[in-house]
Amino acid sequence: MTTNYANYREPSMSAVSSASLPIQLVPAQLSLSEQNLPDSVMSELKHRLSTLSPPRPSLELALPPNLRRFHSLRKVRFRDIPLRIQCPNCHKYCTTNLKHKNGSAVWLAAFGLFILTGVFFWVPFMTRMCKDVVHECPHCQRHIGRYRRL
């Protein structure tokens, strides 16, 4: 079954009257005071316009392409390797410094070695394998995050 579109014509917009349109368009050059709106509507519009804040640009999109590999703290999962990150304190882009601190994994391993051998409980305190990793900013020396082994 074929359809013949040879006699088809698009409806013209002249058949639609402005009264049938649901919204009247207001010219862009008119200010709020020139629109003759009731005072209650005007005050609500002014309040809404004053409370609007401009959208904040994404930090990652505002950066040049070679710096977009840095992480923000919301997405980062700290590990036992240095991270390229923006410091939340000084807002500089850097690679974190690592410091190893005794954590719960060190104490648990020391207790286990003390129970098993009685002598080698000191080994977890000397190795980095069991210690927690603290990430610090190289510029301001502030604590950025911590990777806990347990």
Side-chain angles (χ1 to χ4, degrees), residues 46-136:
K46 285 180 181 179
H47 173 71
R48 286 188 183 190
L49 287 174
S50 67
T51 57
L52 287 177
S53 61
R56 295 184 351 191
S58 170
L59 177 64
E60 189 167 312
L61 295 177
L63 293 174
N66 61 340
L67 294 179
R68 289 185 188 168
R69 292 172 288 177
F70 287 95
H71 300 285
S72 66
L73 285 181
R74 285 179 250 162
K75 303 174 191 171
V76 104
R77 292 181 72 188
F78 292 104
R79 300 292 303 170
D80 54 352
I81 56 173
L83 293 175
R84 293 169 52 110
I85 199 166
Q86 181 185 15
C87 176
N89 186 43
C90 65
H91 303 290
K92 291 185 179 178
Y93 296 97
C94 60
T95 302
T96 59
N97 289 339
L98 301 181
K99 289 192 177 179
H100 296 276
K101 304 273 183 168
N102 294 336
S104 56
V106 170
W107 289 101
L108 187 62
F111 180 72
L113 285 172
F114 179 74
I115 296 295
L116 292 175
T117 66
V119 181
F120 296 109
F121 64 89
W122 54 269
V123 173
F125 293 101
M126 299 298 158
T127 63
R128 292 182 174 180
M129 189 183 339
C130 297
K131 293 186 176 188
D132 292 349
V133 179
V134 176
H135 292 262
E136 292 182 349

